[in-house]
Amino acid sequence: MRVTLFTFLLILFVKPILAQEDCNLTIRGKVIHAENNEPIESAFILILENESGAVTDYNGLFRVSNICPGTYTIKIQYLGHQDYIEKLEIKSNSNFTFRMAAEDISLEGVDIHGHQDALITTNSVSSIYGEVLRSTRGQTLGESLKKIPGVNTYSSGSTIQKPVIHGLHSNRVLILNNGVRLEGQQWGSDHAPEIDPFIANEISVVKGAETVRFGADAMGGVILVNPAPLPVKAIQKGEIDLIGYSNGLGLNAAASFTGGSEKIKGLGYRIQGSSKIAGNVQTPGYMLDNTGVNEINFSGALGYSNSRLGTELYVSNFRTTIGILSDSHTGNLSDLESIIENGRPFREAVFKYEIQNPKQEVDHQLVKAKIHYHLNDGSKLNFQYSFQRNHRQEFDRRRGELNERASLDMVLFTNSLDLSYNHQTRKNWDGAVGAQVMQQANSNIPGTGVIPLIPNFDMINLGIYAIEKFTNGPLELEGGLRFDSRHVEAARIIRGDLQERNFKFNNFSAFFGGVYALTRNLTFNSNLASAWRPPNINEQFSQGLHHGLAAIEIGNPDFESEQSFKWLNTINYNSNNLKIELTAYANRINNYIYLNPTEEQFISLRGTFNVFEYLQTDANLIGTDLSAIWNVSSNWEVFSRGSIVRAKNIIENSFLPFIPADRLESGISYQIASGSSKNNTKLSISNLLVAKQSREPEFDLAPAPPGYQLWNLGAQTSVNLGKNKLNIGLYANNVFNEVYKDYMNRFRYFTHELGRNVLIKLNYEF
Amino acid sequence: MKKLNFNLLILLLTTSIILFSSCESNDPEDENEGELITDVTLIFTEVDPTGGTVGTPFEVKASDPDGIELGSNPTIETINLGIGKTYRLELELFNRIENEDITEEIEEEADEHQFFFLGSAFVGSPVLTYVYDDADEDGNPIGLRGFVTVASTPTSNNAQFRLVLRHDLNKSYSGANNPNFENFVQAGGETDLDITFPLILN
């Protein structure tokens, strides 16, 4: 500590070097963590010979000017890291990258940088954490992510929300649950991600295509739900959350406890759990029948780290029961047309917690074992094995004893093995080569009394990839290549007739991107990436009634994989009082699979149904996102975030369905900071404007609803109770009880969105 | 240390390979589609004003061997009724694929099911009138049995006889006890059957 202070003083009082004719050289550089390549802010750079120095900025960049040619000893210091000393010969303007290794964990009182892997990408990454994440607690993952511009939701009523990134969702975005690809029945528009948002201490969105790193499907972007790293020293801390809300009379409770062993240094653990219960929710005019939800989740993690080795074992269980609005399940086309004409459900509902059919019961288990090992040359070996089991049951209102039986009952097992080797050369180059094996088995559980929507199948996917990054001061360039081979064997029986199909998909994907720090505050990212997605099993095999939509859907087993090319550009300005992020992108998707209405209708004894078929086309999605936060003074903050996306079916020259309308959210907050007690009280008001989606597809069951605006209020404060801290939040959403429908809700045809909701959130940290 | 880690890696690899090979999907099984209705039979028996049977009953059928799966369109026969006559109408529902009598199931859950009689035969300038002749435990009509009377001076000799079966509806909804309730959707529930039979009067 004394050394650091001394260094600091030294830098402050360094005498300006006398400018000489040939002493105009500049050393630029970047300081990063050797562990995970994240930039280090506030590291001290000293040039011992001439007592000049610098401090790294937010991006880990520094610059020392007016250097005469010669040989210098450069010394870099950063708290908790080993001093870095190197002799450098400077003949011309030079650029270096320095990697700092963490000190041994036996050092007391030093904050060790744990073995958490940061995602290193030249794509821009937007994250929510800390106070912002806390303010979203209790919401679905999709709803929480709306804090990030360009991210939206595609929902089926109030209880099922899927994240949409730049107009793409379901199998076109990838969710990583603590580093593991979430493998559920993601193809379904009414299948919400099986994730407990309470496990996260940070949720990040990569808006670029990251297929090379993560495999198929990462076409629109990647969502990373990351828990905090496990402790490597003897500490004990925990958190308790209690959230209550008025609309649906819901209650959320969550607790987590994290500890590090005193006896075995480097051993840490966490146990965590959360639960949710909510009843029927209310629109401003009426109650929505059977819209309750129950959820109970828990997870446990155990890790051991020393300076070379990092290990982690993680287990989680997710279980939910979701009520589906009763009137949303219609018997035939005339039923559907009647309820659409009515614009709201026919059934008058009363408040209750009880969930009846139709409902979904889903449970998801995840086991993950992860090891990495640092080799002598600074390179790293990674091993990760994960196992997932997803059990989905969907119940409909049926006659007699069938009502007790699920009409869709499927178990999906996923085994995944990831091996990679990360290397880093002394200065400029680092990268990774890796291989991934993923195996999946989907089984329908017999006894549903319904011909299964999708067949039983076995899938195996082999992927190999290489990524290399070049860093030179403010410039980072990155490129990667991947090859995947996927084999699928599917089988089902329809009335005694065994149908079998095997599929093989081989795909290359590649990306190239870069980041350039124009100034200390301004960085520019650009990334061009290809991605692929095999056709979903439902797009290949659907051959019948999609319950509830009064639609007969016909798949095509001969589909090819979708191929996309996404170009993402981001300008980031980050100064003390102003943060601006501007993103623009273009995404071209060839063989885009979509559901097309045919002119035909199918007549049965149950009535008439519209017939839809899955088709492939080429699609273009372009758009822009903007996020700006301006700290007007130490008390006042103004923020604004907005997004625009345009999506076209190029072959048909029409618009794609369910693309988010233009939206802009703006707000202002006032912070009452009383310095002595350190409890920060913040009041905020925000306004959300959502335009009408005027770019509608040629066929829709009903025209797009008009635009709307909502007002939300928030107040939060924290109280220090000794060493512990209590965070209190009070929020009111849709303050004026606005009556509106949202284009991105599949139930918009016959329901309005939720009315006013008042939430109280208590968070206790100990 | 390094060797230990290496061994650990080998162990984990071996374990994963074992886990991988043990995870396979089950063989598909044929489903018993107990819910389908493939055959609907309307049994008409002429009655005299006192309710006594006149002549022999006759059947009119609608059938769809594929249920609601894609395939052939349903076969729907024509109803022939005599002007001015009254008939007892009994309905029988059957699942041919699984050989199940659905009529029994409806009787067991009578409080959740109801038939409606619509189309130009019953609505607008009706040529037929329908009266329920059965009731569930709450005293609400079902429609498995009833009486159809043909007008003595019908405005037309042919019309559409639309039969709708709803389940899970609110049977005490205002107007729902009317067999010709056009706004039956307002009572909630879902449609199980919606068949339009051609009707000829002679």
Side-chain angles (χ1 to χ4, degrees):
Chain A
M1 194 63 210
R2 207 165 44 195
V3 178
T4 319
L5 193 64
F6 168 69
T7 321
F8 186 59
L9 291 171
L10 191 75
I11 289 159
L12 278 181
F13 296 106
V14 164
K15 277 187 272 177
I17 311 288
L18 289 171
Q20 291 173 15
E21 283 293 311
D22 49 352
C23 290
N24 55 4
L25 300 180
T26 301
I27 303 175
R28 289 164 193 268
K30 182 165 189 168
V31 182
I32 57 179
H33 290 288
E35 177 65 37
N36 57 18
N37 290 359
E38 282 198 325
I40 298 179
E41 188 180 359
S42 310
F44 298 106
I45 290 91
L46 283 169
I47 296 174
L48 298 179
E49 282 77 6
N50 63 4
E51 295 188 333
S52 65
V55 182
T56 54
D57 67 8
Y58 173 79
N59 293 311
L61 299 176
F62 71 89
R63 169 188 186 147
V64 185
S65 303
N66 301 330
I67 303 278
C68 314
T71 302
Y72 296 93
T73 311
I74 192 159
K75 180 173 179 182
I76 306 172
Q77 292 179 313
Y78 183 64
L79 195 64
H81 287 67
Q82 291 160 17
D83 286 357
Y84 183 99
I85 298 172
E86 189 179 357
K87 273 207 184 312
L88 297 171
E89 197 183 345
I90 308 295
K91 287 178 184 163
S92 56
N93 288 339
S94 308
N95 214 324
F96 300 99
T97 301
F98 301 102
R99 293 190 167 80
M100 301 200 71
E103 282 185 72
D104 213 78
I105 51 165
S106 60
L107 268 178
E108 284 298 325
V110 171
D111 195 18
I112 295 298
H113 206 81
H115 288 263
Q116 191 189 26
D117 287 323
L119 174 68
I120 305 306
T121 173
T122 51
N123 266 319
S124 77
V125 182
S126 311
S127 306
I128 49 173
Y129 50 87
E131 189 187 275
V132 180
L133 183 64
R134 206 152 52 225
S135 74
T136 69
R137 288 287 194 218
Q139 292 171 333
T140 63
L141 179 71
E143 196 64 33
S144 311
L145 286 168
K146 281 185 174 174
K147 296 267 180 202
I148 295 173
V151 184
N152 216 298
T153 55
Y154 177 45
S155 45
S156 298
S158 56
T159 45
I160 298 171
Q161 290 169 318
K162 295 173 77 93
V164 180
I165 305 175
H166 289 168
L168 300 177
H169 59 81
S170 300
N171 279 50
R172 294 189 182 103
V173 300
L174 182 63
I175 299 175
L176 288 182
N177 182 6
N178 191 9
V180 178
R181 278 174 67 104
L182 178 71
E183 290 291 339
Q185 306 282 1
Q186 285 309 310
W187 49 267
S189 54
D190 56 345
H191 301 171
E194 296 88 353
I195 294 230
D196 173 16
F198 279 102
I199 69 158
N201 90 321
E202 182 182 68
I203 304 176
S204 304
V205 174
V206 187
K207 294 173 184 169
E210 287 277 5
T211 305
V212 172
R213 228 175 286 266
F214 300 117
D217 301 350
M219 191 175 267
V222 183
I223 295 162
L224 300 107
V225 181
N226 286 327
L230 290 170
V232 289
K233 49 179 184 163
I235 53 148
Q236 290 193 325
K237 60 180 182 180
E239 223 175 316
I240 294 171
D241 281 284
L242 213 55
I243 297 163
Y245 48 96
S246 64
N247 199 338
L249 297 180
L251 186 71
N252 253 193
S256 81
F257 186 79
T258 305
S261 167
E262 257 179 85
K263 284 183 187 152
I264 308 166
K265 289 216 158 61
L267 188 72
Y269 61 91
R270 179 184 299 113
I271 46 170
Q272 176 269 344
S274 79
S275 71
K276 181 179 195 171
I277 180 164
N280 288 349
V281 290
Q282 189 144 21
T283 72
Y286 51 92
M287 192 150 265
L288 294 168
D289 191 34
N290 201 40
T291 49
V293 57
N294 288 330
E295 200 174 298
I296 186 148
N297 315 307
F298 61 84
S299 74
L302 184 68
Y304 171 75
S305 295
N306 62 30
S307 58
R308 283 187 175 271
L309 180 74
T311 60
E312 189 197 341
L313 185 69
Y314 178 78
V315 178
S316 77
N317 187 59
F318 173 93
R319 181 172 182 84
T320 187
T321 303
I322 302 171
I324 312 288
L325 178 74
S326 329
D327 283 9
S328 68
H329 275 213
T330 48
N332 61 20
L333 186 60
S334 74
D335 277 16
L336 180 66
E337 282 169 349
S338 306
I339 194 170
I340 290 173
E341 195 188 327
N342 199 45
R344 53 163 284 184
F346 287 113
R347 200 177 296 242
E348 294 294 332
V350 291
F351 179 81
K352 60 178 196 292
Y353 284 106
E354 191 198 343
I355 298 169
Q356 294 168 321
N357 293 354
K359 67 177 176 187
Q360 299 181 353
E361 286 185 8
V362 185
D363 60 285
H364 191 98
Q365 289 87 32
L366 167 69
V367 178
K368 168 185 133 173
K370 193 182 163 189
I371 297 171
H372 73 242
Y373 186 76
H374 292 265
L375 303 171
N376 279 331
D377 57 357
S379 58
K380 194 166 86 167
L381 279 171
N382 302 291
F383 165 93
Q384 179 173 300
Y385 166 77
S386 67
F387 168 81
Q388 291 175 82
R389 176 183 175 272
N390 184 287
H391 183 202
R392 165 169 289 272
Q393 289 184 303
E394 296 185 5
F395 295 84
D396 292 324
R397 283 179 295 162
R398 302 163 85 186
R399 265 196 307 277
E401 58 165 16
L402 282 173
N403 202 42
E404 305 302 315
R405 281 202 257 159
S407 48
L408 183 115
D409 197 346
M410 289 187 297
V411 175
L412 177 70
F413 288 104
T414 308
N415 271 308
S416 184
L417 183 66
D418 296 16
L419 293 167
S420 68
Y421 170 76
N422 294 42
H423 77 89
Q424 48 196 33
T425 59
R426 201 179 60 93
K427 289 192 190 72
N428 302 111
W429 292 93
D430 54 273
V433 288
Q436 288 177 340
V437 187
M438 184 167 81
Q439 187 220 13
Q440 235 167 28
N442 185 59
S443 303
N444 285 285
I445 296 175
T448 58
V450 175
I451 294 175
L453 188 65
I454 66 167
N456 292 358
F457 65 84
D458 288 288
M459 185 274 275
I460 187 149
N461 192 108
L462 280 129
I464 48 167
Y465 65 92
I467 298 169
E468 196 64 31
K469 187 165 103 169
F470 172 77
T471 310
N472 195 347
L475 178 71
E476 288 173 31
L477 292 173
E478 191 181 30
L481 193 66
R482 182 183 177 109
F483 174 73
D484 280 280
S485 181
R486 178 175 290 215
H487 188 74
V488 184
E489 288 177 17
R492 68 171 164 188
I493 295 179
I494 295 185
R495 291 180 190 153
D497 174 28
L498 176 69
Q499 303 179 345
E500 284 181 297
R501 273 299 288 255
N502 295 342
F503 303 93
K504 208 172 173 96
F505 304 101
N506 288 324
N507 278 282
F508 277 102
S509 41
F511 77 95
F512 186 74
V515 190
Y516 187 75
L518 296 155
T519 69
R520 282 173 62 92
N521 309 109
L522 193 64
T523 56
F524 174 69
N525 298 51
S526 186
N527 187 294
L528 179 65
S530 73
W532 70 286
R533 176 182 82 88
N536 293 334
I537 205 89
N538 66 318
E539 293 162 344
Q540 296 172 307
F541 281 94
S542 284
Q543 197 74 47
L545 182 68
H546 186 144
H547 203 89
L549 281 186
I552 299 279
E553 295 178 355
I554 303 170
N556 183 349
D558 297 321
F559 278 151
E560 290 170 39
S561 295
E562 288 185 352
Q563 293 285 348
S564 91
F565 303 92
K566 185 167 184 178
W567 187 28
L568 180 78
N569 294 290
T570 307
I571 294 174
N572 234 305
Y573 179 81
N574 208 326
S575 75
N576 287 337
N577 52 12
L578 185 64
K579 290 186 177 68
I580 299 176
E581 189 185 290
L582 179 67
T583 301
Y585 59 90
N587 197 352
R588 163 75 184 228
I589 305 176
N590 293 338
N591 303 327
Y592 182 90
I593 300 170
Y594 70 109
L595 197 57
N596 184 57
T598 64
E599 304 288 307
E600 291 165 48
Q601 291 192 331
F602 172 70
I603 299 160
S604 77
L605 292 185
R606 196 159 138 189
T608 305
F609 300 94
N610 280 327
V611 180
F612 291 75
E613 59 181 343
Y614 283 101
L615 290 179
Q616 287 197 305
T617 184
D618 294 340
N620 260 354
L621 292 97
I622 58 166
T624 179
D625 312 324
L626 174 73
S627 152
I629 302 171
W630 180 32
N631 293 297
V632 185
S633 71
S634 59
N635 300 115
W636 291 97
E637 183 185 281
V638 179
F639 77 87
S640 193
R641 50 178 173 253
S643 62
I644 295 173
V645 51
R646 301 282 176 264
K648 282 204 103 167
N649 176 338
I650 305 168
I651 293 176
E652 299 291 321
N653 194 28
S654 59
F655 296 105
L656 298 180
F658 287 105
I659 296 296
D662 302 346
R663 56 191 284 137
L664 180 70
E665 189 178 2
S666 317
I668 187 162
S669 66
Y670 180 76
Q671 179 140 356
I672 313 162
S674 47
S676 54
S677 62
K678 282 185 179 172
N679 26 336
N680 290 325
T681 303
K682 196 169 164 183
L683 305 170
S684 59
I685 179 165
S686 69
N687 170 270
L688 173 67
L689 279 172
V690 177
K692 179 180 194 279
Q693 180 53 281
S694 51
R695 292 163 186 83
E696 294 177 76
E698 277 161 21
F699 174 87
D700 202 344
L701 295 168
Y708 61 89
Q709 67 166 316
L710 302 178
W711 290 90
N712 301 319
L713 293 175
Q716 59 206 58
T717 188
S718 37
V719 184
N720 287 341
L721 305 162
K723 280 183 146 183
N724 308 334
K725 193 172 166 192
L726 178 66
N727 301 302
I728 305 165
L730 183 65
Y731 305 87
N733 297 337
N734 191 5
V735 178
F736 296 111
N737 221 10
E738 176 82 12
V739 180
Y740 69 105
K741 291 183 172 182
D742 188 84
Y743 179 73
M744 293 299 287
N745 187 349
R746 281 175 58 236
F747 288 5
R748 71 176 149 93
Y749 301 115
F750 40 78
T751 61
H752 292 86
E753 297 291 321
L754 298 196
R756 186 185 301 119
N757 191 12
V758 179
L759 303 96
I760 298 171
K761 302 188 183 183
L762 302 176
N763 169 270
Y764 183 68
E765 294 172 77
F766 60 94
Chain B
M1 188 65 191
K2 197 166 178 177
K3 185 150 191 195
L4 177 77
N5 286 319
F6 189 71
N7 286 340
L8 194 65
L9 204 69
I10 296 289
L11 180 73
L12 279 162
L13 271 173
T14 321
T15 319
S16 330
I17 289 162
I18 293 165
L19 282 164
F20 266 61
S21 50
S22 66
C23 173
E24 266 186 30
S25 71
N26 301 334
D27 288 334
E29 286 184 32
D30 212 0
E31 277 299 337
N32 175 354
E33 297 170 277
E35 212 178 4
L36 285 181
I37 303 171
T38 59
D39 293 82
V40 177
T41 309
L42 279 58
I43 304 162
F44 289 95
T45 313
E46 195 187 336
V47 291
D48 60 27
T50 59
T53 305
V54 182
T56 51
F58 62 94
E59 295 182 351
V60 180
K61 284 190 173 183
S63 62
D64 185 358
D66 292 324
I68 50 169
E69 291 305 311
L70 282 177
S72 55
N73 278 346
T75 314
I76 300 171
E77 294 175 356
T78 300
I79 304 172
N80 286 288
L81 299 178
I83 292 168
K85 289 179 176 170
T86 297
Y87 299 86
R88 173 181 297 116
L89 173 57
E90 288 161 297
L91 304 181
E92 281 182 3
L93 314 179
F94 196 72
N95 176 353
R96 201 193 304 180
I97 296 168
E98 303 298 338
N99 237 359
E100 277 182 38
D101 184 2
I102 308 290
T103 321
E104 274 175 30
E105 291 183 16
I106 303 235
E107 279 165 348
E108 280 164 23
E109 289 182 12
D111 58 331
E112 290 178 10
H113 290 85
Q114 189 173 342
F115 288 91
F116 292 98
F117 299 84
L118 303 157
S120 57
F122 296 98
V123 182
S125 42
V127 293
L128 301 181
T129 47
Y130 181 88
V131 180
Y132 288 114
D133 188 35
D134 53 7
D136 62 21
E137 57 210 9
D138 305 318
N140 291 316
I142 309 161
L144 282 171
R145 272 193 319 279
F147 293 100
V148 177
T149 306
V150 186
S152 47
T153 51
T155 47
S156 167
N157 277 352
N158 46 62
Q160 306 284 320
F161 183 114
R162 181 177 171 212
L163 177 73
V164 171
L165 170 63
R166 300 282 287 180
H167 82 264
D168 222 17
L169 72 165
N170 174 10
K171 291 179 82 167
S172 15
Y173 185 84
S174 164
N177 58 357
N178 171 8
N180 315 125
F181 184 44
E182 281 184 277
N183 297 323
F184 60 85
V185 288
Q186 291 176 3
E190 241 178 279
T191 298
D192 281 336
L193 289 175
D194 190 340
I195 312 166
T196 302
F197 296 85
L199 172 71
I200 294 175
L201 304 178
N202 38 43

